[in-house]
Amino acid sequence: MAGKLKINADYARISSDKSGAGVGAESQHIENEEFGEEIGFPIEARYTDNDRSAKARPDGTFAPRPDYERLIEDIYAGTVGVIIIWHANRLHRNVEEVTRFIKLALEYKVRLFSVKRGGEYMLTRASGRADLLRDTVTAQEESEHRGERVVLARKRQARTGAYGGGVRPYGWGVDTGRTRRVCLNPKDSPETREYRDVPVLDMSQHNTEEAEEIRRWKTDLLAGISTRQVLADLAARGVLTVAQKDERTLRRDGLEVKHKGWGSRTIQQIVTNPRTAGHSVYQGEIVKRNAYPPIITEDERQALITMFADPTRKTSPGNTPKWLGSLIYRCGSCKKAERRNPDGSPVTETVRKNSYGTHIYQCRDKGHCLHPAEGVDAYVERVMIARLSREDIAGLLPQRISVDVTALREELTLLDIQEKEIGLSLARKKISLTLAEVAQAEIDKRRTEINAEIKDGTAEHPLQEFVTSDDAESTWKQLTLGRKREIIRLLVTITLLPAGKGNRPPVHERVKIVPNR
C-alpha cells in the first residue's frame, strides 16, 4: 500500500428525500468541502447515498447503500486516505456497522473528520474510537425514540379518527380539491424515480360508489350467495379494485407485476375489516369504536366473520354458474325414470353448446332433455317477475329472529378455549379418550347451534328488496345472477320436460314450474 496515492473523499447521505431533488445531500457536500479546505484536505471524490436509510432492518440486515459500499471497496483498494462527513449519523446508525468500519480504517490507515465535531476522530486512540461510537449510539437512540414517537403519533391519530396514511382503503375517500406530490416508485434508485400530483382525499368519508358496492357484497353474502358468485358478478360488471382505479403500480421483488383484480380473500378482508363498520384500527387493533360513519353495521360484520369461519361452509373451488338455471333446473327424463344422483339429490342440467353453436340445457347424467338456454331462462324470468309482483310477497319473508351477535361470538371463543383445554387434559391423561370425545361432541353441537342462530338472525332474505319495490321487473334486473338463483331455489322447483322428436312444443309447455311450500 506504501507509495500509493490516496485521495480525500467526503460522504453524504439523507434518509428521506420526498422531492427527489437531492438538496439535503448536496448541502452536506458543500459544508464538507468547505471544512476540507479549512483543515487542508480538499475534497477530491464524492460519495452520495440520497434517500437511503442506514437503519438496520428488523431481521438485522441493512438497506443497500451503493455509494457507501463503493467507499468501503475503495478503502480496501487503498485509494482513500481521508473521509470527511457532516455528522457521525450520516456514516452509520448502528454500533455493529461502525465497529467494523473502525477496524477497517485502522487497518488501511484512513482518517475520519466530522464537520459537526469540528475536527478528527482519532481512531488510533481509545478516546477517539469511543467518541465515534458514542456519537453513533446517540444517533441510534434518537432514531429509535423517533420511531417510538411515530408509532405513538399514528396510534393517537387512529384514536381520534384521523387517517394515518398508506394505501387507500376500499370504500373510503372523498376528493378535497387539494393535491400532493407522491413518488410512484419509491424503492427505485433516485435517478429513476417518477413523481405525480395526486388528489388529497378526506378518508373519514365514504366513497359513495365503493361503499354501495361493499353493501351489495354484504347483502349477497348474507343471503347465501357464494363468494365465487360475487367475484363473477364483479368481473361481469367490470368493477375495479383500489389499485386499478387509483392507477397504482404494483411491484414484487423490484419488478412490476400485473393487477390480478378481485379475489375471495380481498372480499373477505374488506367486509370483515373493523373500519367497514366505522371503527378506527391501528395495526389490526380497534383503538376507537364508531370513529367514522359505518358502511355496514357491527352485527353484520360479526355475522360475516362467523360465516367465513364456519367449518361447514363450502369453500372448495369449482365452476361458477354463468346461467340462471345451471345445476338448478331438474331433468324431466331422469325424474320420470326415477333416476337420482348417488347422494339422493335429483339430477340437474347444465349448459353446453350444440353442433350449431347454440347454448342448450342438457342433463348432466345422460346428456338428454335438450332445451334452448336463452329461451328457457327468459321464460323463467317472466314467471318469477310475475310472482314477485304480487301483493302477498311480504308473507314469504320469515319472522326476523333477534340475536345478540356479540354474546354469541364470545361464546364461540369460550368453546375454542374449552376445546384446547380438553386436548391438554387428554394429553396429560387427566381424562379418558371416551370422556374427551363426549365433550368434543357437545362443543361441536353447540358451535353448530350458535352459527345457525347468528345466520338466522342476521341473514339477508333474498326477497327483502321486493317488499318495498313498486317495480318488481326493474328490481329483478338489478339483482346479481347469484341473487336471482337463490330466489329461484327459494320459491320454486323447475323441471325441464322431455321435448320429444319432430315438432317440439313451445318453451312454456316444456318448463314445469311448481311453487315450493
Side-chain angles (χ1 to χ4, degrees):
M1 238 46 97
K4 194 171 186 178
L5 186 62
K6 295 187 177 184
I7 62 173
N8 306 322
D10 90 308
Y11 177 80
R13 180 187 63 80
I14 183 171
S15 296
S16 178
D17 181 11
K18 294 183 179 179
S19 68
V23 175
E26 181 62 27
S27 297
Q28 292 176 41
H29 281 307
I30 293 172
E31 294 208 27
N32 292 348
E33 288 172 354
E34 292 177 352
F35 185 66
E37 293 289 343
E38 290 178 8
I39 61 177
F41 294 103
I43 300 298
E44 299 167 280
R46 281 185 172 189
Y47 295 82
T48 310
D49 280 318
N50 190 54
D51 206 12
R52 300 281 181 173
S53 174
K55 186 178 179 181
R57 293 165 171 160
D59 61 1
T61 61
F62 297 90
R65 289 191 285 156
D67 257 25
Y68 175 80
E69 293 164 7
R70 186 167 65 88
L71 174 63
I72 296 300
E73 290 175 359
D74 288 346
I75 293 175
Y76 274 117
T79 60
V80 176
V82 171
I83 299 175
I84 298 176
I85 55 177
W86 185 73
H87 188 280
N89 64 10
R90 299 300 87 198
L91 192 60
H92 306 103
R93 293 282 283 275
N94 182 278
V95 174
E96 294 178 11
E97 198 176 32
V98 76
T99 301
R100 290 196 296 269
F101 174 83
I102 289 174
K103 291 180 180 179
L104 182 65
L106 289 173
E107 181 179 352
Y108 288 88
K109 295 181 173 55
V110 176
R111 300 174 68 181
L112 180 65
F113 293 83
S114 165
V115 175
K116 290 293 286 182
R117 181 178 173 81
E120 182 178 3
Y121 286 106
M122 304 298 292
L123 300 181
T124 56
R125 299 178 183 175
S127 60
R129 296 192 294 272
D131 287 342
L132 180 58
L133 284 166
R134 189 180 301 110
D135 289 348
T136 302
V137 169
T138 300
Q140 185 177 348
E141 288 179 348
E142 290 176 352
S143 176
E144 290 173 353
H145 288 321
R146 184 162 55 250
E148 291 171 357
R149 290 196 297 272
V150 169
V151 169
L152 290 173
R154 290 286 173 84
K155 200 166 185 177
R156 185 168 57 250
Q157 275 185 317
R159 285 199 185 99
T160 59
Y163 182 60
V167 177
R168 179 177 73 85
Y170 190 81
W172 300 87
V174 175
D175 195 343
T176 63
R178 305 191 306 274
T179 61
R180 62 186 177 90
R181 192 167 183 77
V182 299
C183 180
L184 302 179
N185 50 345
K187 293 186 178 180
D188 287 2
S189 58
E191 60 273 12
T192 61
R193 289 181 187 170
E194 299 177 16
Y195 295 83
R196 185 179 69 184
D197 290 332
V198 299
V200 175
L201 304 177
D202 180 357
M203 301 303 295
S204 66
Q205 300 298 317
H206 298 164
N207 178 305
T208 305
E209 179 183 352
E210 294 175 357
E212 284 301 318
E213 195 65 51
I214 292 173
R215 294 188 187 102
R216 182 172 183 152
W217 306 342
K218 176 267 301 183
T219 300
D220 281 354
L221 291 168
L222 291 180
I225 309 302
S226 69
T227 308
R228 287 188 293 116
Q229 195 70 60
V230 172
L231 291 172
D233 177 61
L234 288 170
R237 293 186 290 114
V239 179
L240 302 179
T241 64
V242 165
Q244 292 169 330
K245 184 180 289 188
D246 295 354
E247 298 181 347
R248 287 174 46 225
T249 300
L250 301 184
R251 293 182 180 274
R252 186 173 291 112
D253 298 328
L255 301 176
E256 185 173 341
V257 296
K258 292 183 178 180
H259 296 281
K260 292 185 178 180
W262 295 104
S264 58
R265 185 178 180 184
T266 304
I267 296 293
Q268 291 184 21
Q269 288 175 337
I270 292 174
V271 296
T272 61
N273 191 319
R275 186 183 177 96
T276 306
H279 308 315
S280 184
V281 182
Y282 181 74
Q283 294 186 346
E285 174 190 355
I286 296 177
V287 294
K288 184 179 181 181
R289 291 185 175 274
N290 305 316
Y292 313 106
I295 295 177
I296 65 176
T297 68
E298 176 63 14
D299 276 358
E300 289 168 337
R301 185 180 81 90
Q302 293 291 346
L304 288 164
I305 292 173
T306 303
M307 183 191 75
F308 290 129
D310 185 357
T312 64
R313 183 171 178 265
K314 183 179 178 182
T315 57
S316 58
N319 293 327
T320 303
K322 298 178 181 179
W323 291 81
L324 190 65
S326 295
L327 307 179
I328 296 178
Y329 299 164
R330 299 182 180 183
C331 175
S333 293
C334 288
K335 182 180 180 182
K336 186 176 181 180
E338 297 184 351
R339 282 193 292 264
R340 303 183 76 83
N341 291 314
D343 62 359
S345 61
V347 178
T348 56
E349 302 210 357
T350 56
V351 176
R352 298 286 186 272
K353 279 187 178 181
N354 63 13
S355 58
Y356 299 102
T358 303
H359 289 96
I360 58 170
Y361 280 105
Q362 68 176 33
C363 174
R364 295 178 69 202
D365 187 21
K366 300 295 182 180
H368 51 217
C369 205
L370 308 181
H371 297 76
E374 292 184 1
V376 170
D377 281 355
Y379 172 67
V380 170
E381 289 202 85
R382 290 196 298 271
V383 173
M384 296 308 300
I385 290 170
R387 176 64 186 91
L388 295 168
S389 299
R390 287 164 47 177
E391 294 182 357
D392 65 345
I393 189 68
L396 298 176
L397 270 66
Q399 186 69 32
R400 177 58 66 91
I401 303 171
S402 178
V403 298
D404 187 340
V405 177
T406 303
L408 290 173
R409 282 193 53 78
E410 288 175 355
E411 189 175 347
L412 284 173
T413 302
L414 291 175
L415 290 176
D416 291 339
I417 295 172
Q418 291 173 13
E419 192 171 44
K420 292 177 182 177
E421 290 175 347
I422 291 170
L424 289 172
S425 297
L426 180 62
R428 294 168 182 170
K429 298 183 178 180
K430 292 183 177 181
I431 60 174
S432 65
L433 177 59
T434 301
L435 185 59
E437 289 175 341
V438 170
Q440 184 64 55
E442 287 297 318
I443 288 175
D444 291 342
K445 178 183 177 183
R446 181 54 186 153
R447 186 180 283 133
T448 301
E449 292 172 349
I450 290 174
N451 285 332
E453 286 182 53
I454 293 176
K455 181 178 179 180
D456 291 342
T458 59
E460 294 279 350
H461 198 278
L463 301 179
Q464 186 68 49
E465 294 174 73
F466 291 92
V467 176
T468 56
S469 173
D470 295 327
D471 187 348
E473 181 176 3
S474 176
T475 303
W476 174 267
K477 290 180 178 179
Q478 292 174 10
L479 296 180
T480 63
L481 178 62
R483 287 289 295 281
K484 292 177 181 178
R485 288 168 55 83
E486 286 301 312
I487 291 174
I488 289 173
R489 285 194 184 98
L490 175 70
L491 293 184
V492 296
T493 297
I494 299 177
T495 304
L496 303 188
L497 305 175
K501 297 181 180 180
N503 293 326
R504 300 192 175 190
V507 170
H508 69 273
E509 293 182 12
R510 289 187 270 158
V511 180
K512 182 180 179 181
I513 302 178
V514 179
N516 294 333
R517 292 184 177 179

